[in-house]
Amino acid sequence: MAMDDLQLRDASAVLAKAADENFPVAPFFLPRAWRDDLMAVYGYARLVDDIGDGDLAPGGADARYLGVDPESADDRLVLLDAFEADLHRVFDGTPHHPLMRALQPTVRRCHLTPEPFLGLIAANRQDQLVARYETYDDLLAYCELSANPVGRLVLGITGTATPERIRRSDAVCTALQIVEHLQDVAEDLARDRIYLPAGDMKRFHVQERDLAAPTAGASVRALVAYEAERARCLLNEGTPLVGSVHGRLKVLLAGFVAGGRAAVSAIAAAGYDVLPGPPKPTKPRLLREVGAVLRGEG
């Protein structure tokens, strides 16, 4: 079903956020069909995160598309329930939201299942109910919902999913999620969320008030360095995924891994002080990392 100009504008506002990600979402060198499918999945993932974070565009258009009454338009759990209902319409009916309508051809063409999409919704529901994580294992369980489905969808779109590739992909996606959490410590704290495990904070003598400082003290820097090393190890664990595929898909997956590596390097270059704002990798650094991953360098 074709979208009118208003729907296209509303969808474009979400899709435009792809440029701000740590990794290429749908780079130009991919086949057009893959690019379209990846952007459709990105639009879904970005929108569900925007609902969970309270970052929807003003005006209430998303709530109206989802059939949510204006008085409930600020209730994130109500919006997530309506979003899930629209997801089910992707598989067995006609979805209401323009980004869901854009997703439907991808789901049908690539024979995608609801599970990874539902995982992303579950992660955002969890964000409304859980604001602290006691252990690293608790955080990994959250990443299983919030990050790993994206990699599995990429493998589904490209028709390359195998159990081993899924395992490697999960490691990369979890690493990317942890890196994003490290970059966004201050932003997350402003939302009353902390993704640094409480047990690790205690080990490094970091209290919540330390995360609200303008710059990080030695203890916070040590904690961030510790978590960054964990992310780096996960990236290394997942890197063989790149060598298991060929052609343009290999370059795409190298971009994901390189994005994580470059972000970890940017955090290190900032002296692990992530509190003033998210350290971001430069484009030259990202390109160097892509080359290193493609050459199989650690």
Side-chain angles (χ1 to χ4, degrees), residues 189-257:
L189 185 64
R191 303 179 192 273
D192 192 31
R193 296 178 191 164
I194 296 177
Y195 295 102
L196 299 166
D200 294 344
M201 290 176 63
K202 183 176 181 180
R203 174 182 174 184
F204 284 90
H205 308 288
V206 172
Q207 300 186 41
E208 289 192 15
R209 65 173 178 267
D210 298 325
L211 304 180
T215 60
S219 295
V220 172
R221 291 173 188 244
L223 172 60
V224 171
Y226 178 71
E227 306 299 351
E229 177 62 17
R230 279 177 154 170
R232 189 188 66 80
C233 290
L234 281 169
L235 285 169
N236 289 343
E237 180 184 337
T239 297
L241 172 66
V242 177
S244 75
V245 298
H246 305 284
R248 287 176 280 189
L249 177 58
K250 183 172 185 175
V251 179
L252 175 68
L253 298 183
F256 292 158
V257 174

Side-chain angles (χ1 to χ4, degrees), residues 258 282-295 297:
T282 64
K283 189 171 183 179
R285 180 58 191 246
L286 177 59
L287 292 174
R288 287 197 299 272
E289 291 288 358
V290 169
V293 173
L294 289 172
R295 292 191 298 271
E297 299 173 4

Side-chain angles (χ1 to χ4, degrees), residues 3 12 55 59 77 94 107 125 153 165-166 177 187 193 209 221 264 296:
M3 290 187 284
S12 297
D55 284 342
L77 288 173
T94 301
V107 164
R125 280 205 186 96
L153 286 167
R165 284 177 179 148
I166 289 171
Q177 180 75 87
E187 179 182 331
R193 296 178 191 164
R209 65 173 178 267
R221 291 173 188 244
V264 170

Side-chain angles (χ1 to χ4, degrees), residues 117-177:
F117 297 103
L118 289 169
L120 296 174
I121 295 174
N124 279 277
R125 280 205 186 96
Q126 187 165 314
D127 276 334
Q128 313 313 310
L129 305 170
V130 180
R132 307 290 189 274
Y133 290 85
E134 184 62 31
T135 69
Y136 182 61
D137 284 344
D138 292 337
L139 184 64
L140 292 181
Y142 170 74
C143 292
E144 178 70 21
L145 298 172
S146 67
N148 298 358
V150 176
R152 296 182 182 203
L153 286 167
V154 171
L155 294 177
I157 285 170
T158 57
T160 54
T162 66
E164 178 64 9
R165 284 177 179 148
I166 289 171
R167 186 178 74 81
R168 300 287 189 182
S169 171
D170 286 352
V172 171
C173 290
T174 292
L176 292 174
Q177 180 75 87

